[in-house]
């Protein structure tokens, strides 16, 4: 069995409390309109890749705890394949969307990398957490991502080279924390100087990319109102990988990834069914045609 993309890293069980009127202070209780329980993290990336027409699989230990059993059911229902050794504790995140952003509370055990399935999968590309990049075999294109645990691990001790990466994808907060600078573009330049293309998402401001030659590109995000932005970075990552494997130019990759993430969040808001986020390729193509037509008018 071969796949287009292997997502090496733990999927999370995401509990998302929507419809909050504020974030609770100590001793406070806030009432949410609804609770949505979905697979998160690498499961989001793999799901969106599948919606865009690529075969993808999550490679990580499969937890046998209650959260892991529920996560297996949800991933199977979403059509996301999960391969890995049995056992361990499942990461769980509680997301609190409010005011166009979200806060998290996460219980995440020490990450265990499971590379055993790679030999049989023969992926064209790999998505992986940045600290684990040096443990990969050579061959596939490698796209690295980070989250708060990885940022804390790498602050002040970045790798001397990122030349093995096809791209590093992260948000502006993560980029600034990793480099110790306050400006997202300067942070991206410092990371790109380590030998890879760096792509930084900037919430409502869209995204920017710095390539190996130091060229800077920006893409604005469509102006929309999104109640729950949870998973936006995962959606962006999936679309970037899809566009890159489709041999799109850097400018087009940036625009497509930004647009895909935004439209997927809007689609999720409109249906309010608690389904996995990520619009299908046909819907995405249709939306791009409509957007082009509107601009020409």
């Amino acid at each position: 069995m071969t796949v287009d993309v292997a997502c090496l890293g733990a999927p999370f069980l995401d509990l998302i409390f929507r419809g909050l009127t504020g974030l609770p202070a100590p001793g406070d209780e806030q009432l949410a309109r609804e609770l949505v329980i979905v697979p998160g993290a690498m499961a989001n990336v793999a799901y969106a890749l599948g919606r865009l027409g690529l075969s993808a699989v999550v490679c990580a230990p499969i937890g046998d705890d209650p959260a892991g059993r529920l996560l297996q059911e949800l991933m199977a229902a979403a059509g996301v394949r999960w391969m890995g050794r049995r056992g361990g504790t499942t990461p769980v995140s509680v997301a609190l969307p409010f005011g166009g952003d979200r806060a998290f509370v996460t219980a995440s055990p020490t990450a265990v990398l499971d590379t055993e399935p790679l030999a049989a999968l023969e992926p064209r590309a790999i998505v992986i957490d940045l600290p684990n990049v040096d443990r990969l075999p050579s061959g596939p294109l490698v796209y690295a991502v980070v989250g708060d645990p990885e940022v804390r691990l790498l602050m002040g001790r970045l790798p001397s080279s990122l030349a093995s990466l096809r791209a590093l994808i992260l948000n502006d907060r993560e980029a600034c924390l990793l480099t110790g600078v306050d400006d997202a573009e300067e942070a991206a330049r410092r990371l790109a100087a380590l030998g890879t293309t760096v792509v930084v998402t900037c919430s409502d401001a869209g995204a920017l990319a710095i390539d190996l030659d130091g060229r800077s590109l920006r893409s604005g995000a469509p102006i929309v109102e999104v109640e729950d932005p949870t998973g936006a970075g995962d959606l962006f990552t999936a679309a970037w990988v899809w566009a890159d494997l489709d041999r799109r130019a850097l400018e087009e990759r940036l625009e497509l990834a930004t647009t895909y993430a935004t439209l997927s969040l809007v689609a999720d808001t409109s249906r309010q069914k608690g389904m996995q986020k990520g619009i299908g390729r046909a819907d995405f193509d249709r939306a791009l045609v409509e957007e082009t037509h509107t601009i020409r008018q």
Side-chain angles (χ1 to χ4, degrees), residues 97-164:
F98 175 70
D101 207 338
R102 69 278 194 217
F104 290 98
V105 178
T106 298
S108 180
T110 302
V112 178
L113 188 66
D114 192 351
T115 61
E116 287 184 10
L118 289 181
L121 292 172
E122 299 180 352
R124 297 166 59 196
I126 292 172
V127 179
I128 190 170
D129 295 321
L130 180 57
N132 293 322
V133 166
D134 60 356
R135 299 172 59 187
L136 288 177
S138 59
L141 299 176
V142 178
Y143 303 85
V145 295
V146 297
D148 274 10
E150 291 76 33
V151 168
R152 286 193 290 271
L153 181 65
L154 293 171
M155 284 175 62
R157 44 187 171 186
L158 283 170
S160 59
S161 173
L162 299 177
S164 63

Side-chain angles (χ1 to χ4, degrees), residues 14 17 19 76 126-127 136 168 190-191 252 258:
D14 279 358
F17 288 81
I126 292 172
V127 179
L136 288 177
L168 170 62
R190 294 192 184 192
L191 292 167
E252 193 175 6
T258 303

Side-chain angles (χ1 to χ4, degrees), residues 28-290:
D28 246 354
E29 180 178 6
Q30 291 286 343
L31 296 180
R33 183 185 67 250
E34 63 177 343
L35 169 63
V36 176
I37 303 177
V38 291
M42 286 297 183
N44 277 335
V45 179
Y47 177 79
L49 285 165
R51 296 286 284 160
L52 287 166
L54 296 179
S55 58
V57 61
V58 174
C59 299
I62 301 172
D64 53 9
D65 55 338
R69 292 192 290 273
L70 176 56
L71 183 54
Q72 289 175 62
E73 292 180 11
L74 293 173
M75 288 176 62
V80 179
R81 287 184 291 171
W82 186 2
M83 299 177 62
R85 299 187 296 273
R86 308 290 304 193
T89 303
T90 304
V92 177
S93 275
V94 173
L96 306 175
F98 175 70
D101 207 338
R102 69 278 194 217
F104 290 98
V105 178
T106 298
S108 180
T110 302
V112 178
L113 188 66
D114 192 351
T115 61
E116 287 184 10
L118 289 181
L121 292 172
E122 299 180 352
R124 297 166 59 196
I126 292 172
V127 179
I128 190 170
D129 295 321
L130 180 57
N132 293 322
V133 166
D134 60 356
R135 299 172 59 187
L136 288 177
S138 59
L141 299 176
V142 178
Y143 303 85
V145 295
V146 297
D148 274 10
E150 291 76 33
V151 168
R152 286 193 290 271
L153 181 65
L154 293 171
M155 284 175 62
R157 44 187 171 186
L158 283 170
S160 59
S161 173
L162 299 177
S164 63
L165 299 182
R166 176 70 173 178
L168 170 62
I169 305 169
L170 68 174
N171 66 34
D172 48 359
R173 175 178 169 275
E174 293 160 348
C176 290
L177 286 173
L178 281 178
T179 57
V181 300
D182 294 331
D183 179 74
E185 182 165 345
E186 177 59 25
R189 287 193 179 280
R190 294 192 184 192
L191 292 167
L194 298 178
T196 191
T197 296
V198 175
V199 191
V200 180
T201 61
C202 304
S203 189
D204 293 344
L208 67 92
I210 306 291
D211 68 9
L212 287 171
D213 297 324
R215 182 174 51 139
S216 174
L217 298 170
R218 284 187 176 267
S219 174
I223 301 175
V224 296
E225 187 171 332
V226 175
E227 179 192 31
D228 174 20
T230 309
D234 301 325
L235 294 162
F236 182 97
T237 297
W240 179 276
V241 173
W242 161 75
D244 196 21
L245 293 180
D246 201 42
R247 301 180 183 276
R248 306 295 184 103
L250 183 63
E251 298 90 337
E252 193 175 6
R253 272 177 265 160
L254 194 62
E255 184 175 345
L256 286 171
T258 303
T259 304
Y260 181 79
T262 303
L263 293 179
S264 292
L265 294 176
V266 171
D268 176 76
T269 298
S270 66
R271 66 189 178 210
Q272 293 292 344
K273 294 180 181 178
M275 298 169 61
Q276 198 81 6
K277 295 174 183 176
I279 60 176
R281 177 68 185 274
D283 289 337
F284 186 39
D285 287 344
R286 191 178 306 113
L288 290 174
V289 170
E290 292 172 356

